Amino acid sequence: MPKQVDHVSRRRLIAEAVCHLADEHGLEGVTLRDVAARAQVSMGAVQRCFRTKEEMLVFTLGHIGERIGERVRARLVRSPAQSAGTALGHAATEISLLREEHRAEARVWLAFVAQAAVNEALATTLRASYAPLQETFTRLIAEAADAEAGSGSDAGADSDGDAGADRAALVDPRREARTLLALVDGLTTHVLIGHLTPPEAQDVLHAHLARLWA
């Protein structure tokens, strides 16, 4: 009886091979032959999973986006009792890829972002990856603003809490989510090129989040 092939697992295996090669040589250094060798599968196996190199790259980009999204969701699930503001900080930190263990992933992500500027298929996939992250930010900002407004009302009139409630009421969650997503993406780039150290980038991120309610 012929061996059954798990095509989903094989496609993910190939995507991981693409990531390793892209980290070492950039996307221009990714060839089907090298991907097959790194994944320890035949060229035919790669071609059965992906008809073209572009199709393989599009899948890989989506795979990276899913992996980041899964980490964000796992981080939020691990601490269900945390405030929305704290959860927002955790989610932003995960997406910014500032930690050392995510540095290779950040390099690969940036390589795909650069290529997406001239490749509509990659750009479409990239937008699809950003969309749920932005929605997560929007939800958490809205929840944090509601909590801030509620705490201000509880504090009574003519208090600092009341002023905080007024500021929270002015927050546009969707606009702030777009701003935060752009910021964390930019911080990833600045750390990779050495313009900022990871602690400096974290400081920028935390200062921005603190100013949401300041």
Side-chain angles (χ1 to χ4, degrees):
M1 201 175 158
K3 183 180 178 181
Q4 295 297 310
V5 177
D6 183 345
H7 285 284
V8 173
S9 295
R10 177 162 287 180
R11 282 163 70 89
R12 289 174 179 162
L13 176 68
I14 291 170
E16 288 298 324
V18 171
C19 288
H20 287 300
L21 290 170
D23 182 37
E24 295 168 4
H25 309 294
L27 288 181
E28 64 278 5
V30 174
T31 67
L32 293 179
R33 185 177 302 279
D34 288 342
V35 168
R38 181 61 64 95
Q40 297 184 325
V41 298
S42 67
M43 278 277 289
V46 175
Q47 291 169 329
R48 282 191 291 275
C49 288
F50 303 104
R51 291 168 297 177
T52 64
K53 178 181 176 179
E54 180 178 79
E55 185 178 314
M56 181 176 67
L57 294 180
V58 166
F59 177 84
T60 301
L61 178 55
H63 174 67
I64 298 170
E66 288 174 5
R67 192 164 57 197
I68 294 171
E70 286 170 3
R71 282 206 305 269
V72 171
R73 289 190 292 273
R75 184 70 180 269
L76 299 180
V77 168
R78 277 203 305 270
S79 305
Q82 66 191 345
S83 70
T86 299
L88 179 64
H90 289 329
T93 298
E94 288 292 342
I95 294 169
S96 63
L97 303 175
L98 298 179
R99 292 202 295 273
E100 181 61 36
E101 63 264 33
H102 297 149
R103 201 60 47 79
E105 187 174 57
R107 287 191 294 267
V108 175
W109 180 261
L110 187 59
F112 272 106
V113 170
Q115 190 65 25
V118 294
N119 184 306
E120 182 55 32
L122 290 177
T124 299
T125 304
L126 192 59
R127 290 193 295 270
S129 295
Y130 279 135
L133 300 178
Q134 182 172 303
E135 286 306 311
T136 296
F137 281 169
T138 300
R139 175 177 60 81
L140 291 173
I141 290 170
E143 290 176 4
D146 287 345
E148 184 74 19
S151 65
S153 298
D154 293 341
D158 300 323
S159 67
D160 291 340
D162 198 45
D166 290 341
R167 289 191 295 270
L170 296 174
V171 170
D172 180 338
R174 189 161 296 280
R175 182 186 62 199
E176 295 298 344
R178 288 195 296 264
T179 301
L180 181 56
L181 187 57
L183 174 64
V184 297
D185 230 26
L187 290 175
T188 303
T189 301
H190 282 242
V191 168
L192 284 179
I193 66 173
H195 180 246
L196 293 175
T197 65
E200 288 170 339
Q202 285 283 6
D203 184 60
V204 170
L205 177 58
H206 292 158
H208 174 79
L209 291 173
R211 280 197 296 270
L212 278 176
W213 327 116

